[in-house]
């Protein structure tokens, strides 16, 4: 029996976390030959995830350069993937989300007439500059894709409105919830020793912020606001896991480096990050993934962006879109910190994003598409708000 040749391609930390459970599921399926290709758009942050989930790459483009430009990364991936496809031609590639790796690999596959499966398809902020360049990366990948794995009914609607055929869309839930079922544990011991010393009876705020559109004044406002919040609220401690990008790292260190009760940590591995989220009081972030993870754990989220491509948890009330205005960040965060009613309203655990079975649905969808089974898998139905 001919196996379906599936190559999963990713390059950054968030893609790796969300692709890991899917790769495990692909490996378990006897009708699929699964290969893994990393572009290594990130190096250290990617390797950390590969090691954690025990995934070995069959192909590694190793494209990362210090202070890389978007065009440089795009170019190196496009050329590199062509060479890999000349050595090994899959029937289908799987890409994830909205990074430059996602878009460039899809384009390279299309040029070779290889089918593209887009995991986490159909999210839209409807603003081409926010998130930048991710909104456009995700849209362009959608144009190239043959199979669209939409996490929610809402993302499916976005695709239908853009003219994608219903038969090519599979509503699966988000694989990040599959990953969290694996990583989050009671009585978890952190690998990062500093976290084992934190008193979680205090109000611990977990922070991440690194987005390109926030570089400069955005990140500076965020850091200054954090400084003010910690200064005014004695029971608050901040744990900021700082991205390795020097543009981000240097500014965070400059503003918050010497601030009492602010812990600046290097990027945490997926288990430490998910368990920190599970134990903290609330989250402040400009990341996309945390907007999905925190609601699943019932943690209020202040989103340091003006628009989001993930409206489900905003609608449900767990996530508040605040942006990067200094005064507004302080006001909204202190509201969650000090007003029990506001906190209680935001903290209920919801799961509009997944039920832990997304990877299974994606594999079943591939079998269906390649005529190995005759029924389209049932769609994931998240909670409605
Ligand atoms: C990328 C993605 C973004 C995603 C983010 C998650 C694009 C355009 N952006 O942004 O969507 O949310 O990853 O982290 O695809 N660096 C290291 N070591 C690492 C990783 C990064 O040193 O392991 C430094 C390098 O100097 C690199 C810089 O970070 O030049 C930027 O990395 P890049 O992938 O270009 O953009 P991110 O801001 O990480």
């Amino acid at each position: 029996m001919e196996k379906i040749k599936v190559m999963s391609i990713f390059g950054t930390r968030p893609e790796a976390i969300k692709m890991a459970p899917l790769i495990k599921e692909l490996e378990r399926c006897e009708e699929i030959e699964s290969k893994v290709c990393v572009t290594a758009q990130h190096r250290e942050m990617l390797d950390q995830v590969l090691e954690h989930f025990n995934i070995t790459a069959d192909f590694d483009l190793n494209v990362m350069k210090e202070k890389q430009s978007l065009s440089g990364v795009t170019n190196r991936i496009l050329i590199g993937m062509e060479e890999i496809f000349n050595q090994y031609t899959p029937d289908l590639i799987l890409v994830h989300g909205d990074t430059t790796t996602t878009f460039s690999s899809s384009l390279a596959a299309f040029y070779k007439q290889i089918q593209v499966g887009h995991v986490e398809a159909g999210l839209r902020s409807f603003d081409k500059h926010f998130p930048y360049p991710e909104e456009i990366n995700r849209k362009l990948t959608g144009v190239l894709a043959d199979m669209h794995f939409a996490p929610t009914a809402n993302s499916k609607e976005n695709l239908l409105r853009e003219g994608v055929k219903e038969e090519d869309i599979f509503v699966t839930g988000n694989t990040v919830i599959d990953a969290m079922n694996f990583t989050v544990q009671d009585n978890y011991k952190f690998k990062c020793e500093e976290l084992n010393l934190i008193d979680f009876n205090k109000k611990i705020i977990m922070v991440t912020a690194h987005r390109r559109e926030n570089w400069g004044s955005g990140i500076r406002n965020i850091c200054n606001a954090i400084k003010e919040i910690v200064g005014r609220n004695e029971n608050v401690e901040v744990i900021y896991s700082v991205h390795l990008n020097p543009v981000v790292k240097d500014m965070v260190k400059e503003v918050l480096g010497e601030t009492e009760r602010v812990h600046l940590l290097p990027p945490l591995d997926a288990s430490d990050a998910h368990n920190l989220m599970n134990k903290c009081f609330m989250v402040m972030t400009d990341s996309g993934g945390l907007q999905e993870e925190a609601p699943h754990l019932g943690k209020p989220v202040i989103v340091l962006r003006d628009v989001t491509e993930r409206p489900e948890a905003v609608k449900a009330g767990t996530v508040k879109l605040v942006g990067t205005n200094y005064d507004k960040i302080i006001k909204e965060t202190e509201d969650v910190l000090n007003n029990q009613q506001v906190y209680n309203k935001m903290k209920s655990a919801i799961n509009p994003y997944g039920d832990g079975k997304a990877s299974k649905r994606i594999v079943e969808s591939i079998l269906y598409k390649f005529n190995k089974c005759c029924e389209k898998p049932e769609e994931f139905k998240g909670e409605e708000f």
Side-chain angles (χ1 to χ4, degrees), residues 11-15 41-47 64-70 73 98-102 132-134 137 210-212 215 243-246 248-249 267 287-288:
T12 67
R13 181 173 56 158
E15 292 164 84
Q41 178 179 336
H42 287 173
R43 187 73 271 172
E44 305 90 310
M45 287 161 66
L46 174 76
D47 292 344
M64 193 184 97
K65 296 231 189 312
E66 207 183 316
K67 298 209 171 175
Q68 59 202 6
S69 73
L70 294 174
V73 178
D98 59 8
T99 71
T100 296
T101 289
T102 315
Y132 164 85
E134 288 84 2
N137 279 343
H210 68 269
R211 300 215 79 92
R212 239 162 242 270
W215 286 1
H243 195 288
L244 291 180
N245 191 328
V248 177
K249 205 166 59 173
S287 131

Side-chain angles (χ1 to χ4, degrees), residues 115-158:
Q115 293 200 51
V116 175
H118 187 196
V119 181
E120 204 186 72
L123 281 67
R124 297 287 183 268
S125 71
F126 304 103
D127 183 333
K128 86 187 229 192
H129 301 289
F130 298 93
Y132 164 85
E134 288 84 2
E135 175 76 357
I136 292 301
N137 279 343
R138 199 189 296 269
K139 262 185 114 166
L140 293 174
T141 306
V143 173
L144 296 164
D146 302 280
M147 298 183 78
H148 307 255
F149 304 108
T152 65
N154 181 64
S155 36
K156 174 179 175 177
E157 285 301 314
N158 291 338

